[in-house]
Structures are given as C-alpha cells and as structure tokens.
Amino acid sequence: MALQLGFQGLRGVSFLVPKKWFRITWICQRKRAISRSVLCGLMLFSLGLVSLFTGQIAADLEWSQIRGRWESKRITDAVVVARILNATLVVPQLDHHSFWKDDSEFENIFDIDWFISSLSKDVTIIKRIPDKIMRSMEKPPYTMRPPRKSTPEYYLDQVLPILLRRRAVQLTKFDYRLTNNLDDELQKLRCRVNYHALKFTEPIQLLGQKLVKRMRTMSSRYIAVHLRFEPDMLAFSGCYYGGGEKERNELREIRKRWTTLPDLSAEEEQSRGKCPLTPHEVGLMLRALGFVNRTYIYVASGEIYGGEETLQPLKDLFPNFYTKEMLAREDLKPFLPFSSQLAAIDYIICDESDVFATNNNGNMAKILAGHRRYIGYKRTIRPNAKKLSSLFKARNQMAWKVFSRKVKLAQRGFMGEPDEMRPGRGDFHEFPSSCICQNPDLIEIGGNLVKPQPTETI
C-alpha cells in the first residue's frame, strides 16, 4: 500500500549505482533487440548486488493525506525508477515545511525495516546516505526535474549518465514523473510496493483496527466516505458553493499557495464535473443509490469548509455518522499533532469498509480503489459529478423516485464493478490489472468480459 493523504512533502529519496557497472547498465540501455528487463535481470543475477556507495538520486516527493492529497504512488514510482536505473534507494525524508506542518518522519508512519526487507529482492534500500560518501562528493547533488510521465528510456538515456558522472542526482517535483504504462514486471513491482512494502507502523495499525472493530460492533456492515471538502481542496478546484464574497475571498487567499494555477470559471468547472460534491450532495447520491437512513457511515475528512453547518445535512440523511474523533476519543490523543498519522488511521478504516465512496477521483481514491480490487474486490463508488451536477440543480423539480432512477443511471460505470475498466486502460494505481488474475470463466467479446455460452457436445 503506497497511500497517503495529507502526508507532507518528501525532502528526498536516493539511489546508488557503482561506476564499475557502467558497461552493464549501458548494455541494458543500448541493446534494444533484446528485452531490456530480461537482459538486465540476467546480468544482475549473474553479477550479484550492486554497491551502495557510488551514486545517488534524491527525489523530492510530496505526500498528501486524507486531509490533502494521498500521494503514495510517488514513493512507488521512486522505487520503480530505482529498479530501472539499477540504483540504491535511500529512504525518503519528509518535508516538515508543507501546508500541513507535520514533524513526522517516514519511520513514524511506515514500518521502515519492513519496507527495506520486503523489497530487498527488487531494489536495495538504505536508511541514509553514508557520511563517508557525502564527504567524498566533490559537488552537491545535481538537480533536475524529469518531464511528466517519463518513460524508462528517458531515465536510462537522460538521468543515468548524469548519475554515473556526478554520483548524486536530485529529482525534484516527483509527481507523475513516470509513465502509467510500463511492462508487466515493473507494474507488478508497483503492486509489491503499494500493497505489501508500505505497511503502517504498529501503533497506527493497532488503533486503525481497533476503530474498525468498534464500527463492526455497532453494525456488521458500514460505508466509508472520503468527503474531501476541506478549504484547500475547494480553493485548488476553483469552484464556488454560494458563500458570497466571504467564500470567494477566503478561497482566493488559499489558492495563492499554488503560483502556477490558471484562472478558472467556477461555472465551467462545475459543468465539467471538476467540483467536489457538497456533503449534502454526497448524502443525496448515496440515498438515491439505495443506502437507507439506518446505514452506518464512517467519514474520513479533515476540517470541513463551513464546519458543522455544512455537515449537518449529511448527518440528517445518515444519523449513524462516525469519525475517528468520535470513535477513538482519548486513544487518538498521541496522534493529534500529526496530520499524516491521522490520515493513515483514516485510510485503514476506509480500506476495511464494505463500501468506499469518494468525493473526487484523486490519488487517495485511486490507490484505495486499486487495493480493494487487488485484495479480492470491494466496491468503490466514484460520483459522476458531471452528470450529477445537473440532477442536483433540478432535484426539487422531480419526484424522489425519478431523481433516484436518474442518479442510478448517471452512476453506471462509476460503481466500482470488477470489470469496469478493460485491462491496461485507466490509471494503473486504480486498475492494477497486471497484478490481478483474470476470471477463467469470463471471455472477452467486443471489448466486454462475458460468460461463455455452453456448447453442445456430440
């Protein structure tokens, strides 16, 4: 599991490649007639592990949290890049100056020893760059920013020569810096990192499971809802929710954090389905889909914009409404100063839910949906905001049965069905098809997975 919400930015991760392997790495880069992954694998198998002390890549990765953006896939991609470069990864350092002001280190959130040992057959990982290496470097790490969605060839052709020459390269803004489409072996490595190597620390895991048990004690089944209606999300989206100049001024001020964001039209963004639903709209969608008033829901969220007044309509629709603060009480106190650790607790409870409903198709939603498919399929509902927007506007002009029928129609293809996306399509973190065995009882006809018709035997 490589997931995170509101986790702060990473100051760096590192990889190391010995100079004496230069020719080997170059062969893997140049001999295009032979499969790169096969050739590199054979050479590494015959020559053994690479040295840890000759080259480094540090990548700035930003973590997000349930209160921000869940970005574990950046860590996942950093591991995959280390594999591509035949390099050693240094455990990431978290940025303590991000929006969430969290002092957590990697080892405060994830089991660092498990992370290192579980990936030892794929990538060599060390906790820190040895002082001896740092002192021996003539120049500080070379800084570069790979283009978005870079291919393995880019890293081999552009990054590797600099790494071998300078011994240290810093890759900045490592978000979406590796292509979604990789060969199956590298995709499977993504799964090993996401779903096995990144394991939360024992205190986080124990509290998360305790809160799941408390939910199960009240009801055998529950929905988890990731509202994603915090001020930063609304400001980033450029949307407007009817709060007048006060809302516009507050969100405009927050939006200044992102210096490269373009000016957006709130009306156009809503018509394009880019605006998060309000908590009330999320509740209406769930009720229209058939979830009854007595359904138990767990809400994962940070500070909701508008506070209790914004939340109350959702609570009216679903009175059995719970948050980690309500379930944990005093047990949560040690985690309160650390937004990243609170996000991890939310993640566990969402992952264990019978149904997970997200309010935007961001990275947390994609990672959770992918994990829930990977472990044997558990439903994840994504709102089709583009179609739902017009329905919410016209809701008072139609009977509830008509509204419900139209919502169900709008949500076709957004209900988390196992075969919702053809293998190889969509974001891999959301649809990890390379890591999931296909049902032998289904065959593909015309792009759809269907059960074969029985044939007569003579």
Side-chain angles (χ1 to χ4, degrees), residues 26 47 64 69 100 103 112 124 126 140-141 151-152 188 215 220 234 242 270 284 298 334 375-376 402-403 423 445 453:
W26 210 231
L47 293 169
S64 357
R69 294 169 299 281
W100 299 107
D103 290 334
I112 190 170
T124 302
I126 59 177
T151 63
K188 289 175 182 178
M215 287 295 295
S220 60
L234 304 188
Q270 188 174 50
L284 289 172
Y298 175 84
I375 60 178
V402 175
F403 175 74
I445 299 178
Q453 296 296 318

Side-chain angles (χ1 to χ4, degrees), residues 10-25:
L10 292 174
R11 291 202 305 272
V13 272
S14 308
F15 317 113
L16 307 173
V17 183
K19 288 181 179 177
K20 67 179 182 178
W21 296 131
F22 178 83
R23 181 172 298 173
I24 296 166
T25 311

